[in-house]
Amino acid sequence: MDWELFRGSLAYFKEKGISQTLDQIPMEYFIEAINYLENHPLIDSSKIGVVGGSRGSEAAFLLASMDSRIKSVVVTTPSKVAWYGLTVPKSAWTIGGQDIPALGLELDSNAKLLDRFTVALENKTNVNKSLFKFENINGPILMISAENDQVWPSFQMSKDIEVYLKSKQFKHKVVHNSYKTGHGFSKETAPEIKKSIINHFVRTL
């Protein structure tokens, strides 16, 4: 192998100088990070991938669908749609100063979180408006879901993404691995999951 796998993380809220809550995060922030990587002398800009988990899967899918420089994607316990932010009833994400279409939770705060997400996903009209443009992604996708997810139905949403991409005749490989765990997986599954993520990027970048 004649290249190394560079890994880095990008905080997008709750850090100095950026939003303190997961609300109204501009996608331009992530695009600027890709601009930085593209011009870094130690990075091959033709081999840039993105990984995100849970709410971060929204950012990963949005970024990959907006920026063709992303050549490989990994998401863990993913969502198929964008959601409102944590503290205001507006999209968690913006582009060009405008809200990216997103879903809000249904039921009230006394209901189980999983039920609040599940009921919101039953509104097909809203789901279609907030569904990510997966077909615009310029590379293979690895999804890792939890079959007993207690936060949101990541397993079913991953299955829905598979069906959607098949209907769009997506030209890249899509892999969906699921585990019989909760949203945070488990210590027993962590090594296998980590290895699968690294192997995915090694194979696809």
Side-chain angles (χ1 to χ4, degrees), residues 118-131:
T118 301
V119 172
L121 288 165
E122 291 173 357
N123 188 321
K124 301 305 179 185
T125 299
N126 288 344
V127 167
N128 289 336
K129 291 178 182 177
S130 306
L131 195 68

Side-chain angles (χ1 to χ4, degrees), residues 80-165:
K80 65 179 181 179
V81 296
W83 294 92
Y84 281 5
L86 292 183
T87 67
V88 296
K90 293 181 178 181
S91 179
W93 319 99
T94 67
I95 186 71
Q98 301 296 313
D99 281 13
I100 289 173
L103 292 181
L105 295 179
E106 296 292 343
L107 308 178
D108 60 37
S109 59
N110 293 318
K112 291 181 180 179
L113 189 56
L114 177 60
D115 292 339
R116 299 188 73 191
F117 279 111
T118 301
V119 172
L121 288 165
E122 291 173 357
N123 188 321
K124 301 305 179 185
T125 299
N126 288 344
V127 167
N128 289 336
K129 291 178 182 177
S130 306
L131 195 68
F132 300 126
K133 300 294 184 184
F134 300 104
E135 67 271 29
N136 293 340
I137 294 174
N138 190 31
I141 302 169
L142 169 62
M143 296 183 288
I144 304 172
S145 70
E147 295 178 25
N148 297 310
D149 200 319
Q150 73 278 30
V151 175
W152 61 20
S154 64
F155 175 73
Q156 184 57 54
M157 286 195 285
S158 297
K159 299 292 288 184
D160 292 344
I161 293 167
E162 288 184 280
V163 171
Y164 177 88
L165 287 172

Side-chain angles (χ1 to χ4, degrees), residues 20-49:
Q20 292 303 295
T21 60
L22 181 53
D23 294 287
Q24 302 278 278
I25 308 298
M27 290 306 300
E28 289 88 349
Y29 174 73
F30 300 98
I31 294 170
E32 282 299 316
I34 302 303
N35 293 341
Y36 171 80
L37 293 176
E38 186 177 42
N39 292 291
H40 196 291
L42 296 178
I43 293 176
D44 183 343
S45 61
S46 69
K47 296 180 178 180
I48 298 176

